[in-house]
Amino acid sequence: MENKKKKLSLFQLIGISIAFYGSVRSVPTLAVVGWQQIFFMIGAAILFAIPISLICAELATGWTEEGGPEVWVKEALGEKCAFITSWLLWVQMFFGMVMVSSTVGILLAYVIGRPDLSQNNIFVFSFIILSYWTVTLLNLKFDMDKIIGTIGSVVGIYIPFVALVALGLWWTFKHGIVNLGPLTWKSAIPSLGSIDKFSIFSGIIFIFTGLEIASVNANNIENPKKNYPISVFLSMGLLIVFNLIAGLTEANTIPTDKIQLSNITQPFAIYFNELGLPWLTNVISAMICIGVLAQLSVWVLGPSKAMIKVAEEGNLPPVFQKRTKHGVPITFVLIQAIVVSFVAILYVVIPNVNSSFFMILILTNILYCIVYLFIVLSAIVLKYKRPDVVRAFTISGGKLGMWIAVSLSLIGIAITIIVSLIPPANTKSGIYIAVQVIGTAVCVISPIIIFKLRKPSWKKVNQKKF
């Protein structure tokens, strides 16, 4: 008798979902708004994370072939929109990878016992270049995911996150409310008088990006109609609770104007110093650094593997179809490294590491929001255009349920893009807006031009290996 692949249980899916989103990377972004992070996190869940998770699950269980968003958008909106979607998923990673790479130098500054270097823009810039090119070259020769993938995730992501939550609770129970202040309506709800704080909402949305990847698990769960929505609500609830504990305790430990957005080691240093174990800051920094390098290894190949399929369909010149003998898309990988190097120059042009980090974070988020706009529109179109396609999971309420999910998502996406254009305090507004507007325009217009110029001869004939 043939063995069937075992389905995931509800408990397993909740565990996978929490592991997928759990990270210390976004905690400083939460901490900087104090009690208001509760308002922003709940808003992000209701207007973004939950409805888009449900939408992506219905699409993923209806169109199960590899490709995800590109397949859904192509089916609903056509080949041009599908190409733009794939392109944006690729180029937004340039900015995301710069942001993640920037933490390498900061972490190493603590590893070597020189925390002052964590806010030195030249030091941070140097390690963005060094770390990203090192990971790129290693990926061209070895299967880095097998080498450091699982170990890197456990050592560098999950253990530090649990430690941050536990230490934050310990510090708060010991000292009480120090920097956070009392919880009141005024302290919890942002006012229009401090509208610059609304830009933080976009940074908080970034915690939930990648929902379209996690939704593929809906194809492999017991009783998806019942269990998938339960897992979404429970995992999102737990994720919100853990992030809020970490964010609130950090906000209580460090004054708002002293929080370093790109420095995820900052609260650890305070906690371990108080415990009389300052050397553990070096250890935890090294652990998180391993996690960052593991993430970079996955990101170096992930988007490029998706894009090479787009190239082989004839949407890009043949040079983009080249692979190494290991199947690595060499042209895409090298272009990524070159563009990441240029984007990293922002850390030289803008000496304030906090400002550079936040600008790149927000630009990444705007591009991702455009992708989600295509996905959400595709979901409602396919609800009417392809009712014949069987979905293992469907949003409750039929077309009305889909319209509710789509409406909430569109409101969340619109709010995120609008607040992304509001310069935060202590940032040069002209440079900030220019980076967001020009960066977004270039990234969106370039695939439209490329699609217009494509030629039939670009379609793949034979795959060439090097």
Side-chain angles (χ1 to χ4, degrees):
M1 185 175 178
E2 187 180 348
N3 289 326
K4 292 184 178 179
K5 187 177 179 181
K6 189 176 179 181
K7 297 282 188 179
L8 293 170
S9 66
L10 174 61
F11 179 78
Q12 288 173 320
L13 184 59
I14 291 172
I16 290 172
S17 299
I18 292 174
F20 185 84
Y21 297 111
S23 172
V24 296
R25 188 180 62 229
S26 299
V27 172
T29 304
L30 284 168
V32 80
V33 289
W35 287 115
Q36 293 175 8
Q37 62 191 269
I38 300 173
F39 173 84
F40 286 131
M41 278 290 280
I42 294 174
I46 294 172
L47 295 177
F48 190 86
I50 291 174
I52 291 181
S53 289
L54 298 176
I55 287 170
C56 289
E58 178 163 328
L59 292 171
T61 57
W63 287 264
T64 57
E65 60 265 45
E66 192 175 3
E70 184 206 355
V71 173
W72 311 335
V73 176
K74 187 175 182 179
E75 183 75 14
L77 306 176
E79 197 171 351
K80 181 192 286 187
C81 290
F83 177 62
I84 295 171
T85 299
S86 298
W87 180 272
L88 291 178
L89 280 171
W90 180 49
V91 299
Q92 63 86 21
M93 297 300 290
F94 299 158
F95 307 101
M97 286 185 277
V98 170
M99 185 179 64
V100 174
S101 298
S102 70
T103 61
V104 174
I106 294 167
L107 290 164
L108 287 176
Y110 278 86
V111 172
I112 64 176
R114 287 289 308 277
D116 56 297
L117 292 175
S118 67
Q119 292 301 297
N120 184 304
N121 61 317
I122 302 300
F123 182 81
V124 172
F125 167 76
S126 301
F127 275 95
I128 291 174
I129 303 299
L130 180 62
S131 61
Y132 192 79
W133 273 98
T134 299
V135 168
T136 295
L137 295 175
L138 287 173
N139 269 283
L140 289 173
K141 292 293 182 181
F142 309 103
D143 188 342
M144 294 303 293
D145 189 41
K146 286 184 179 178
I147 296 172
I148 64 171
T150 304
I151 295 175
S153 297
V154 173
V155 171
I157 299 173
Y158 310 140
I159 293 176
F161 189 78
V162 172
L164 183 61
V165 170
L167 289 166
L169 286 172
W170 164 78
W171 197 95
T172 299
F173 284 133
K174 180 179 179 181
H175 294 276
I177 302 299
V178 179
N179 294 301
L180 199 52
L183 175 59
T184 64
W185 181 266
K186 186 177 180 180
S187 65
I189 307 298
S191 68
L192 293 177
S194 56
I195 197 169
D196 58 286
K197 284 193 175 180
F198 280 88
S199 59
I200 295 295
F201 180 72
S202 182
I204 291 172
I205 286 289
F206 187 76
I207 296 171
F208 299 104
T209 53
L211 294 165
E212 75 288 349
I213 300 171
S215 67
V216 299
N217 290 306
N219 286 305
N220 189 36
I221 181 176
E222 298 169 353
N223 193 359
K225 181 73 177 176
K226 175 184 176 183
N227 287 339
Y228 189 80
I230 292 174
S231 75
V232 167
F233 285 101
L234 283 179
S235 59
M236 290 299 168
L238 290 169
L239 181 69
I240 288 171
V241 169
F242 281 119
N243 270 283
L244 285 178
I245 291 173
L248 289 169
T249 52
E250 178 170 341
N252 188 46
T253 305
I254 308 169
T256 300
D257 60 345
K258 301 294 183 184
I259 294 173
Q260 299 166 6
L261 294 179
S262 58
N263 187 357
I264 50 188
T265 307
Q266 189 183 16
F268 284 110
I270 295 171
Y271 301 146
F272 288 135
N273 284 343
E274 180 130 352
L275 284 168
L277 302 168
W279 57 272
L280 277 177
T281 302
N282 307 61
V283 174
I284 203 77
S285 298
M287 290 171 65
I288 299 173
C289 193
I290 291 171
V292 169
L293 293 173
Q295 284 183 319
L296 284 176
S297 290
V298 174
W299 286 7
V300 161
L301 293 185
S304 59
K305 283 183 176 178
M307 277 303 291
I308 198 168
K309 293 177 183 177
V310 174
E312 290 170 352
E313 291 172 358
N315 292 309
L316 289 167
V319 68
F320 287 91
Q321 299 171 18
K322 295 180 179 179
R323 301 174 186 256
T324 66
K325 62 182 179 181
H326 301 295
V328 176
I330 187 169
T331 304
F332 284 105
V333 167
L334 291 177
I335 287 175
Q336 284 173 186
I338 293 168
V339 176
V340 164
S341 301
F342 279 110
V343 174
I345 294 174
L346 270 176
Y347 279 86
V348 177
V349 176
I350 305 169
N352 187 304
V353 174
N354 257 14
S355 296
S356 303
F357 180 88
F358 193 70
M359 282 186 193
I360 293 171
L361 168 64
I362 298 304
L363 179 54
T364 304
N365 224 32
I366 291 175
L367 297 177
Y368 230 130
C369 277
I370 297 172
V371 170
Y372 284 126
L373 180 62
F374 279 120
I375 291 174
V376 168
L377 293 177
S378 297
I380 196 64
V381 168
L382 292 174
K383 197 72 174 177
Y384 289 88
K385 182 180 177 182
R386 295 299 307 274
D388 55 303
V389 174
V390 177
R391 285 91 155 161
F393 167 80
T394 55
I395 295 174
S396 298
K399 291 177 181 177
L400 176 61
M402 176 61 80
W403 271 112
I404 292 172
V406 166
S407 298
L408 289 172
S409 301
L410 290 175
I411 292 170
I413 291 168
I415 291 173
T416 303
I417 292 175
I418 291 169
V419 300
S420 294
L421 298 176
I422 301 172
N426 303 318
T427 301
K428 293 182 179 178
S429 58
I431 296 176
Y432 177 87
I433 294 173
V435 168
Q436 309 309 327
V437 173
I438 295 173
T440 302
V442 169
C443 292
V444 173
I445 293 171
S446 53
I448 296 173
I449 295 172
I450 293 170
F451 189 86
K452 183 78 174 174
L453 297 175
R454 65 182 184 154
K455 302 175 182 178
S457 59
W458 289 0
K459 199 163 182 115
K460 175 194 167 188
V461 180
N462 291 310
Q463 186 169 303
K464 192 175 181 181
K465 295 192 177 182
F466 288 71

